[in-house]
Amino acid sequence: MMPRPVELVLAVLVAILGGALLVLWPIQAPPPAPDAPVMDEDPLMEPEPEPEPEPEPEPEPEPEGPLLDDGLDPVAFLPPGDLAPDSGVGQALQINYAPQMRFPLEAGQAYANSQVYGHGGYLGPGGGQCDAENYSYAWRDNFCETRGYATPLCPAGTGHQGQDIRPASCEDARHWAVAAGDGVITSVGSYSVRLMSPEGVRYTYLHLDRDSLLIAPGDEVVRGQRLGLVSNEFGGNATTIHLHFEIRMAVETGQGLQNTHVPPYLALVESYQRLLTEPESEHG
Ligand SMILES: [Zn+2]
């Protein structure tokens, strides 16, 4: 009779062998696949067979409408409140204050970014306003950019009150600004147009080309209607070619209900996405 430890070792060995056999059995003796390729044993007999062609990938569906030109970067948006470096403290709340709004330019492409802190701006990194970086994605919020204007929804209490948007190309008086909704033109200044919606939301457009304006105070307009051409006019001075766009409405500011400027960034982002993806719904 064997001593007990040897018995144990043998039992374990048998168990391991049995287990290994169970695991390895199907691998050691795979059933022949019915459609397995027959390997050519003699490399001199036949030329290599042509490899099976890869299946053609499904073609991407063509986008509809006047959308992305070839060669442009894909649309991209930095989050609300993410201002240009050293240009102020942004408001990062994810609130779309005008969810039904139509994008205020008739057509893309458009580039929301800072005209002051961008190329060609007086606090920018140099270069001209037509620098390609100004006319590329990603979009950047500049509602709370450092300015002296009362903007209670900005962390500093002051800010820029609106968003700067460059049109598709760096050309003066070429691209149409349009009504963000149905409403009445309540004022036309030397470089400003104001549009009041029936719900009391006021849209402000700055720097439209005065000679191109198609509206006058008191006019009723419909969503998507042309107002004037985006320009660099600034009341006798020149700024860069851009639309400065504001939304003003009654909101709770922390000091009660106030009629004040609200961050337009998310309303612009979402209306721009609709413009690019469902242009038919944005014609007004
Ligand atoms: Zn501005």
Side-chain angles (χ1 to χ4, degrees), residues 17-30:
L17 270 173
L21 273 176
L22 274 177
V23 169
L24 294 176
W25 182 261
I27 296 172
Q28 287 172 333

Side-chain angles (χ1 to χ4, degrees), residues 113 115-116 142 145 147 149 160-165 206-207 239 242-246:
N113 53 46
Q115 66 92 24
V116 165
N142 80 329
E145 196 168 273
R147 305 291 165 83
Y149 307 115
H160 172 227
Q161 298 186 332
Q163 175 68 45
D164 296 330
I165 308 163
L206 301 188
H207 317 305
T239 176
H242 74 284
L243 172 66
H244 169 107
F245 181 76
E246 300 174 359

Side-chain angles (χ1 to χ4, degrees), residues 23-276:
V23 169
L24 294 176
W25 182 261
I27 296 172
Q28 287 172 333
D35 55 353
V38 176
M39 297 301 289
D40 191 348
E41 296 284 324
D42 184 351
L44 299 176
M45 262 182 68
E46 295 268 340
E48 280 289 308
E50 286 288 311
E52 279 286 307
E54 290 282 317
E56 285 284 317
E58 286 286 308
E60 288 284 314
E62 287 286 317
E64 295 176 12
L67 311 182
L68 294 172
D69 300 330
D70 288 340
L72 285 177
D73 293 338
V75 179
F77 311 96
L78 294 172
D82 181 355
L83 305 188
D86 303 318
S87 69
V89 179
Q91 172 54 267
L93 290 177
Q94 301 273 333
I95 299 175
N96 180 342
Y97 287 92
Q100 309 305 321
M101 186 180 90
R102 192 228 187 266
F103 190 66
L105 295 180
E106 187 169 65
Q109 302 296 310
Y111 305 97
N113 53 46
S114 172
Q115 66 92 24
V116 165
Y117 288 83
H119 298 283
Y122 67 91
L123 295 173
Q129 65 165 312
C130 296
D131 190 292
E133 203 177 341
N134 287 345
Y135 288 84
S136 63
Y137 299 109
W139 276 27
R140 190 153 217 172
D141 184 1
N142 80 329
F143 175 71
C144 290
E145 196 168 273
T146 302
R147 305 291 165 83
Y149 307 115
T151 315
L153 290 187
C154 288
T158 55
H160 172 227
Q161 298 186 332
Q163 175 68 45
D164 296 330
I165 308 163
R166 300 179 205 266
S169 65
C170 189
E171 292 170 273
D172 188 25
R174 167 81 194 273
H175 305 283
W176 287 102
V178 297
D182 296 350
V184 175
I185 302 298
T186 53
S187 77
V188 175
S190 63
Y191 62 96
S192 66
V193 170
R194 296 206 160 90
L195 162 61
M196 182 69 84
S197 84
E199 299 82 26
V201 178
R202 194 188 74 180
Y203 302 105
T204 296
Y205 301 72
L206 301 188
H207 317 305
L208 299 187
D209 173 60
R210 228 180 130 63
D211 295 336
S212 72
L213 293 183
L214 298 176
I215 39 77
D219 284 358
E220 288 193 15
V221 297
V222 297
R223 174 189 174 89
Q225 183 175 330
R226 287 177 171 178
L227 303 179
L229 292 166
V230 177
S231 168
N232 61 353
E233 291 188 15
F234 198 9
N237 297 311
T239 176
T240 60
I241 298 162
H242 74 284
L243 172 66
H244 169 107
F245 181 76
E246 300 174 359
I247 305 176
R248 185 179 159 106
M249 62 199 295
V251 287
E252 176 59 51
T253 63
Q255 289 126 36
L257 195 64
Q258 286 185 275
N259 202 19
T260 189
H261 296 92
V262 297
Y265 188 73
L266 277 184
L268 289 165
V269 166
E270 290 178 18
S271 62
Y272 187 61
Q273 289 173 315
R274 286 196 297 274
L275 177 72
L276 296 185

